């Protein structure tokens, strides 16, 4: 705004002259006291292209929303519909082609903003009151908010007690999805999520932001770190939001930030389908191949070849993608742990979870409770799926590593390990130098991967970086009982972690086996109570870890696992005395006329049952080697 000579305020207007000679001159005449507008001159000579007929409606003068349409948009917003859903429904109602309504998505968003009346201003106060109520009911519930100068809600974030606990174990790789909005309130919805040890999406936190800028995102990230006691994720996956990119660089400088390839691919149709025409599908295939390359040098070389092949040298989207290649291309991301979050399947699972949150929106003051219900439903479904999968695990190789992994890893992680074990015989290794090997597929004549193995430091790495990218040595996050219930600051936890992890896996197996029948459950409860009573009677000792001798209880049976031939293996530690429980053996159907009976293989004090060596030398029995890191050396 600027002052004119007469002191009145007037708008600053930028010059828009481009030398076009087209004009229309009109004057207002008042002949016979009847005012009217008359065209006195007109020129239709332009020095630029004109809009097409279907583009004229996008001019501000033509973007009108009738009162009836406004009422319907208001009704749709109250029902929780997104702006895109509103537009598509109205296109169908009016029988017009896609994108041919007399108003655009931006016009609808502006209209929704204008709907904010006095009654709507009460919603943030109710929402804050709801968070305070939840905090009073559960002190571990956490929330924070910010009000603007007009005492209206600007930002609010919250997380639940269970989410904070899950973040301790699974907060190494995180997705921060900011691609959705609560259109009824014109607020950006951000959801923090990850993947737990069973491969299921887990919720970490939620934020509503009024504006989409660096300051807003910085507030959200800083608040989230406060919820999680300052622990930043190792890797963070987001969409291509440049404001968010800058905020992450400020608030989480040690975190590896990456862009979700699914969000990038979703834009390809708009960017390249018309430009490339019939060659679009071929280009997509070439892009996917480039995306999955292992070596940086290969990526750089083949990217240039792709640009030449399709003539995309000056394309702004290609230039931008290349400039940000370290944020999305796998050759640049493989040295970092993403726990499978970059896969298309995991991305779809996360999107489905967020859609449940969006479908739960009604009144803003109920939104926090509704998100909690969605999270609880998701966790309940995850536990049911875990219980079904853990009841039977099928062995396929007979390898001691596979047998051991079946007792300590979740079915999801065990399936990943089993895939690698089945592929392992197809590869050959050649010693290049001390601690250095070349590994290649049996069909490869040249190339291969370089594997560096430093046994004294228990470190192994490969040039393909698959260890670092998905599951380095299958750490504790993929175990059957990966939780934060054990105090990580405890000296006993640090000194006896292997035995504690074994106890966790035994406990998980006990529960999985006991819940099948009431009889099993009764026996488990009775025997567990006896064991616990016995443990409580033992004296508490302060001797060092080196002086402590562990004696496994008699015939402690790990969960039964079934091999590919239908033979059930059950691993027993200790002496062959009377077992704690004797679960019923299930009858086996005869196959091909042969009656197959279940065979039990036991580990005894003298022999482990695999390679005729003492249990003290067995890598599956030795306590010092009974950990996730040992599984990395396949």
């Amino acid at each position: 705004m600027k002052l004119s000579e007469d002191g009145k305020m007037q708008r600053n207007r930028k010059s828009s002259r481009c030398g076009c000679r087209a004009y229309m001159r009109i004057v207002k005449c008042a002949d016979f006291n009847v005012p009217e507008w008359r065209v006195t001159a007109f020129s239709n000579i332009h020095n630029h292209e004109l809009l097409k007929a279907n583009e004229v409606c996008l001019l501000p003068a033509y973007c009108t929303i009738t009162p009836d349409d406004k009422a319907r948009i208001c009704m749709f917003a109250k029902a929780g519909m997104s702006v895109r859903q509103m537009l598509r429904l109205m296109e169908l109602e009016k029988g017009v082609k896609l994108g041919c309504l007399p108003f655009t998505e931006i016009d609808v968003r502006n209209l929704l903003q204008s709907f904010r009346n006095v009654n709507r201003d009460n919603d943030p106060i109710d929402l804050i009151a709801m968070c305070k109520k939840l905090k009073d009911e559960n002190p571990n519930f956490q929330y924070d908010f910010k009000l603007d100068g007009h005492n209206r809600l600007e930002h609010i974030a919250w997380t639940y007690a269970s989410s904070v606990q899950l973040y301790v174990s699974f907060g190494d790789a995180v997705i921060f999805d900011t691609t959705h909005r609560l259109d009824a309130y014109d607020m950006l919805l951000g959801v923090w999520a990850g993947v737990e040890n069973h491969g299921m999406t887990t919720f970490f936190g939620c934020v509503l932001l009024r504006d989409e800028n660096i300051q807003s995102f910085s507030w959200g990230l800083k608040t989230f770190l406060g919820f999680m006691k300052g622990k930043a994720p190792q890797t963070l996956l987001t969409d291509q939001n440049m404001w968010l990119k800058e905020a992450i660089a400020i608030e989480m400088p040690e975190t590896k930030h990456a862009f979700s390839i699914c969000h990038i691919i979703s834009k390809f149709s708009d960017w390249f389908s018309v430009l490339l025409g019939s060659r679009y599908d071929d280009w997509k295939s070439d892009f996917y191949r480039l995306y999955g390359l292992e070596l940086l040098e290969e990526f750089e070389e083949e990217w240039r070849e792709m640009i030449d092949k399709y003539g995309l040298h000056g394309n702004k989207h290609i230039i931008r993608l290349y400039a940000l290649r370290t944020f999305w291309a796998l050759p640049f991301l493989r040295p970092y742990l993403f726990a499978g979050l970059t896969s298309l399947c995991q991305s779809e699972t996360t999107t489905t979870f967020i859609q449940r949150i969006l479908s739960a929106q009604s009144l803003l003051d109920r939104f926090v409770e509704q998100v909690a219900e969605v999270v609880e439903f998701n966790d309940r479904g995850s536990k049911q799926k875990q219980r079904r999968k853990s009841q039977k695990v099928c062995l396929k190789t007979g390898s001691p590593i596979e047998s051991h992994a079946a007792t300590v890893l979740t079915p999801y992680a065990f399936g990943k390990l089993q895939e690698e074990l089945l592929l392992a015989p197809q590869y050959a290794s050649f010693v290049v130098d001390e601690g250095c090997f070349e590994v290649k597929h049996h069909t490869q004549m040249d190339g291969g991967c370089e594997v560096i193995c430093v046994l004294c430091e228990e470190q192994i790495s490969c040039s393909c970086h698959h260890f670092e990218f998905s599951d380095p040595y299958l750490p504790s996050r993929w175990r059957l009982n990966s939780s934060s219930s054990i105090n990580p600051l405890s000296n006993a936890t640090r000194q006896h972690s292997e035995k504690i992890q074994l106890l966790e896996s035994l406990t998980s197996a006990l529960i999985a086996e006991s819940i099948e029948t009431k009889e099993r459950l009764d026996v488990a409860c009775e025997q567990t109570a006896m064991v616990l009573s016995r443990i409580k009677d033992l004296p508490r000792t302060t001797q060092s870890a080196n002086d402590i001798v562990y004696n496994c209880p008699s015939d402690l049976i790990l969960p039964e696992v079934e091999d590919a031939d239908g033979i059930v293996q059950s691993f027993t530690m200790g002496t062959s005395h009377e077992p704690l429980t004797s679960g019923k053996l299930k009858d086996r159907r005869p196959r091909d006329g042969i009656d197959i009976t279940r065979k039990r293989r036991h580990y005894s004090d003298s022999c482990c049952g695999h390679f005729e060596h003492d249990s003290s030398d067995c890598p599956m029995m030795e306590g010092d080697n009974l950990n996730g890191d040992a599984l990395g050396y396949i």
Side-chain angles (χ1 to χ4, degrees):
M1 305 294 288
K2 65 180 181 181
L3 287 173
S4 60
E5 293 180 357
D6 57 1
K8 294 182 179 180
M9 303 296 291
Q10 67 181 39
R11 289 179 295 172
N12 290 321
R13 292 184 177 179
K14 295 182 178 179
S15 173
S16 59
R17 294 174 182 267
C18 60
C20 179
R21 298 176 59 187
Y23 68 94
M24 182 172 70
R25 184 177 295 118
I26 59 177
V27 296
K28 184 177 182 180
C29 301
D31 297 341
F32 308 103
N33 294 323
V34 179
E36 64 178 9
W37 292 97
R38 293 181 181 175
V39 178
T40 60
F42 174 75
S43 173
N44 198 28
I45 302 173
H46 296 268
N47 65 348
H48 53 82
E49 292 184 14
L50 299 180
L51 293 176
K52 298 177 183 178
N54 62 340
E55 295 175 336
V56 174
C57 63
L58 301 178
L59 292 172
Y62 292 87
C63 290
T64 56
I65 304 179
T66 64
D68 289 340
D69 288 338
K70 289 181 180 180
R72 291 192 63 76
I73 290 172
C74 182
M75 181 184 67
F76 294 154
K78 290 180 179 179
M81 293 179 63
S82 69
V83 171
R84 292 183 181 179
Q85 290 173 333
M86 296 179 196
L87 293 173
R88 184 57 183 149
L89 181 57
M90 297 183 78
E91 286 168 353
L92 294 173
E93 288 177 343
K94 296 177 181 291
V96 299
K97 293 182 180 180
L98 189 66
C100 291
L101 288 172
F103 44 86
T104 65
E105 181 179 338
I106 295 177
D107 298 322
V108 176
R109 293 192 186 280
N110 290 337
L111 178 65
L112 291 173
Q113 178 68 27
S114 68
F115 283 160
R116 301 184 180 281
N117 49 31
V118 177
N119 293 332
R120 179 65 68 193
D121 290 338
N122 293 329
D123 279 348
I125 298 176
D126 295 337
L127 177 60
I128 296 170
M130 173 58 65
C131 287
K132 186 178 184 304
K133 177 176 175 291
L134 292 175
K135 181 72 173 178
D136 293 339
E137 295 173 354
N138 185 352
N140 292 322
F141 173 80
Q142 300 186 57
Y143 75 101
D144 197 3
F145 63 91
K146 180 182 178 182
L147 301 177
D148 61 16
H150 300 287
N151 207 35
R152 296 181 61 224
L153 181 66
E154 188 171 0
H155 314 308
I156 186 167
W158 67 92
T159 187
Y160 309 100
S162 60
S163 301
V164 176
Q165 186 176 14
L166 286 169
Y167 185 83
V168 174
S169 299
F170 310 116
D172 43 12
V174 175
I175 292 177
F176 185 30
D177 190 295
T178 59
T179 58
H180 301 86
R181 300 181 70 89
L182 293 185
D183 292 305
Y185 317 106
D186 195 30
M187 298 186 79
L188 181 77
L189 172 66
V191 176
W192 285 280
V195 60
E196 39 96 286
N197 53 342
H198 292 273
M200 301 291 290
T201 299
T202 183
F203 175 87
F204 292 142
C206 205
V207 65
L208 292 174
L209 303 174
R210 176 70 63 196
D211 306 310
E212 193 172 351
N213 52 42
I214 296 177
Q215 292 75 22
S216 297
F217 285 127
S218 291
W219 183 90
L221 293 170
K222 194 179 300 182
T223 302
F224 178 73
L225 288 176
F227 292 159
M228 304 305 171
K229 299 180 175 61
K231 177 188 174 183
Q234 297 178 29
T235 54
L236 185 62
L237 209 61
T238 71
D239 65 322
Q240 281 181 286
N241 190 305
M242 292 298 106
W243 289 317
L244 179 56
K245 173 179 173 292
E246 294 298 325
I248 292 172
I250 296 171
E251 304 299 337
M252 299 180 178
E254 302 300 322
T255 297
K256 174 57 183 176
H257 179 205
F259 295 147
S260 171
I261 190 63
C262 296
H263 290 137
I264 296 175
I265 292 174
S266 66
K267 301 175 183 177
F268 281 176
S269 179
D270 293 336
W271 290 353
F272 302 112
S273 60
V274 176
L275 177 65
L276 296 174
S278 60
R279 298 192 300 167
Y280 174 62
D281 290 337
D282 294 336
W283 176 83
K284 276 202 306 183
S285 299
D286 288 345
F287 179 88
Y288 292 151
R289 185 177 53 80
L290 276 171
Y291 168 72
L293 290 175
E294 293 181 353
L295 301 179
L296 299 179
E297 296 78 9
E298 288 181 346
F299 177 85
E300 297 289 350
E301 180 181 351
E302 297 199 23
W303 181 271
R304 289 191 293 268
E305 293 177 359
M306 182 192 71
I307 300 300
D308 294 336
K309 179 180 178 180
Y310 294 96
L312 298 172
H313 297 83
N315 184 274
K316 63 180 182 179
H317 302 300
I318 288 292
I319 293 172
R320 184 180 180 84
L321 281 173
Y322 182 75
L324 297 171
R325 62 192 182 282
T326 58
F327 287 85
W328 60 264
L330 288 186
F332 298 91
L333 301 181
R334 282 207 172 92
Y336 305 92
L337 172 67
F338 280 91
L341 289 177
T342 58
S343 68
L344 181 61
C345 179
Q346 190 61 52
S347 178
E348 290 174 350
T349 303
T350 305
T351 301
T352 301
F353 174 72
I354 295 175
Q355 288 295 339
R356 291 198 194 104
I357 293 177
L358 288 170
S359 64
Q361 60 176 304
S362 55
L363 291 177
L364 192 57
D365 63 327
R366 280 272 304 148
F367 188 68
V368 179
E369 285 184 327
Q370 289 171 329
V371 173
E373 293 171 2
V374 172
V375 172
E376 183 180 358
F377 174 81
N378 185 75
D379 292 343
R380 196 162 54 242
S382 175
K383 290 177 181 177
Q384 291 174 353
K385 186 176 181 181
Q386 161 193 348
R387 192 175 298 118
R388 288 195 302 268
K389 285 189 173 182
S390 62
Q391 289 177 357
K392 183 184 290 185
V393 176
C394 181
L395 300 183
K396 299 180 180 179
T397 69
S399 164
I401 293 178
E402 184 188 29
S403 301
H404 178 213
T407 66
V408 295
L409 298 180
T410 64
Y412 170 79
F414 176 71
K416 297 295 184 182
L417 175 66
Q418 202 170 51
E419 291 174 6
E420 298 297 327
L421 284 173
L422 292 173
L423 291 173
Q426 301 180 20
Y427 291 81
S429 62
F430 306 91
V431 178
V432 177
D433 200 353
E434 183 178 359
C436 180
F437 304 85
E438 183 182 65
V439 179
K440 64 175 66 176
H441 194 266
H442 70 93
T443 59
Q444 282 184 289
M445 298 300 296
D446 301 315
C449 295
E450 183 182 66
V451 176
I452 305 296
C453 181
V454 185
L455 289 178
C456 61
E457 299 180 5
E458 296 188 351
Q459 293 291 330
I460 188 170
S461 63
C462 180
S463 57
C464 72
H465 292 299
H466 281 301
F467 272 138
E468 296 89 335
F469 185 66
S470 55
D471 39 29
Y473 315 121
L474 299 171
S476 58
R477 82 175 325 275
W478 299 116
R479 289 181 175 271
L480 278 167
N481 201 348
S482 180
S483 68
S484 57
S485 58
I486 299 175
N487 181 7
L489 300 179
S490 168
N491 289 330
T493 299
R494 288 195 294 266
Q495 293 172 357
H496 316 316
S497 59
E498 293 85 1
K499 293 299 177 182
I500 291 173
Q501 289 166 356
L502 174 60
L503 181 60
E504 288 179 342
S505 66
L506 292 174
T507 304
S508 178
L510 175 65
I511 295 172
E513 290 293 329
S514 302
I515 61 177
E516 289 191 358
T517 65
K518 182 179 183 299
E519 181 184 0
R520 285 187 171 200
L521 196 59
D522 291 341
V523 173
C525 292
E526 178 184 351
Q527 296 292 338
T528 304
M530 293 171 58
V531 172
L532 183 59
S533 175
R534 180 184 172 189
I535 291 174
K536 288 182 177 179
D537 291 339
L538 295 175
R540 297 179 182 270
T541 179
T542 58
Q543 58 187 131
S544 66
N546 295 331
D547 299 332
I548 296 176
V549 179
Y550 290 93
N551 293 312
C552 292
S554 308
D555 276 350
L556 239 143
I557 301 176
L558 295 180
E560 293 179 346
V561 290
E562 186 173 304
D563 63 20
D565 295 325
I567 299 176
V568 175
Q569 303 181 40
S570 119
F571 307 110
T572 307
M573 299 182 187
T575 59
S576 55
H577 295 188
E578 213 38 56
L580 288 175
T581 61
S582 55
K584 292 182 179 180
L585 295 181
K586 298 178 182 177
D587 295 333
R588 300 289 295 173
R589 290 183 181 179
R591 188 178 62 194
D592 299 333
I594 302 174
D595 185 20
I596 301 176
T597 58
R598 304 183 102 185
K599 299 179 181 179
R600 287 183 177 269
R601 301 174 186 170
H602 293 272
Y603 286 113
S604 65
D605 285 340
S606 59
C607 176
C608 83
H610 271 273
F611 299 109
E612 302 298 331
H613 50 241
D614 293 341
S615 60
S616 59
D617 299 327
C618 176
M620 292 181 61
M621 295 289 295
E622 188 174 352
D624 291 340
N625 291 332
L626 196 61
N627 55 56
D629 290 350
L631 295 176
Y633 299 98
I634 301 174

